Amino acid sequence: MTTQQRQFGRAGFGITALGAVAASLVLAAPQASAWVGNLGVAGTDHKVGCTYKLTAAVEVDRLTSVKFTDNGVDIPGSPVSPSVLSGTVSIDWKPTTAGKHKLEARQLLISDSITVTVAEAGNTGSASCGGGLGDLFGSLS
């Protein structure tokens, strides 16, 4: 083996080792400092036909849009571009079916999800969504 072959062998080993270290840093980075995460939904006792705000934190990448889905289907208005000045991104969600809903916020290859149970709408129309006089004077009832 010539000196030149040994040098190329060492350089190749160094490049391979550097690539392995870089790959491990990339894979570990999302857990250390999440890009999109802390997905939450406003309200409680979620009902069909009512509108709720979904909010996710965007701590690292505030330039890439966030795609919101409900059971794998895009939520109308998605994807949403985060503000460079804000650490969160939000969208309105209006469930159309009762049952379990897996809500997901995805930014590039990073995602966060929660599962919410949605009940059938009440017989009182939009009053069953809250925001009526019952909520305004809730402490009196």
Side-chain angles (χ1 to χ4, degrees):
M1 182 179 282
T2 67
T3 305
Q4 189 176 20
Q5 287 174 325
R6 269 188 251 136
Q7 288 175 344
F8 282 127
R10 288 181 187 156
F13 176 76
I15 291 171
T16 302
L18 180 62
V21 169
S24 67
L25 290 174
V26 168
L27 292 175
Q31 289 78 21
S33 181
W35 289 27
V36 66
N38 297 324
L39 178 61
V41 59
T44 57
D45 300 324
H46 303 100
K47 294 184 174 75
V48 170
C50 298
T51 302
Y52 306 96
K53 186 167 292 293
L54 299 179
T55 303
V58 284
E59 298 172 6
V60 174
D61 184 354
R62 295 183 183 173
L63 300 176
T64 305
S65 62
V66 176
K67 180 178 177 180
F68 288 92
T69 59
D70 176 1
N71 290 335
V73 177
D74 287 359
I75 294 174
S78 181
V80 178
S81 295
S83 165
V84 176
L85 303 176
S86 174
T88 63
V89 63
S90 298
I91 191 170
D92 286 336
W93 169 62
K94 188 174 186 177
T96 57
T97 60
K100 296 221 182 270
H101 290 256
K102 181 182 178 189
L103 303 172
E104 183 178 57
R106 175 172 295 278
Q107 190 178 35
L108 298 176
L109 299 175
I110 310 301
S111 67
D112 190 24
S113 66
I114 57 173
T115 301
V116 174
T117 301
V118 176
E120 289 290 343
N123 293 339
T124 57
S126 64
S128 67
C129 293
L133 291 178
D135 283 351
L136 184 60
F137 300 108
S139 60
L140 298 177
S141 53

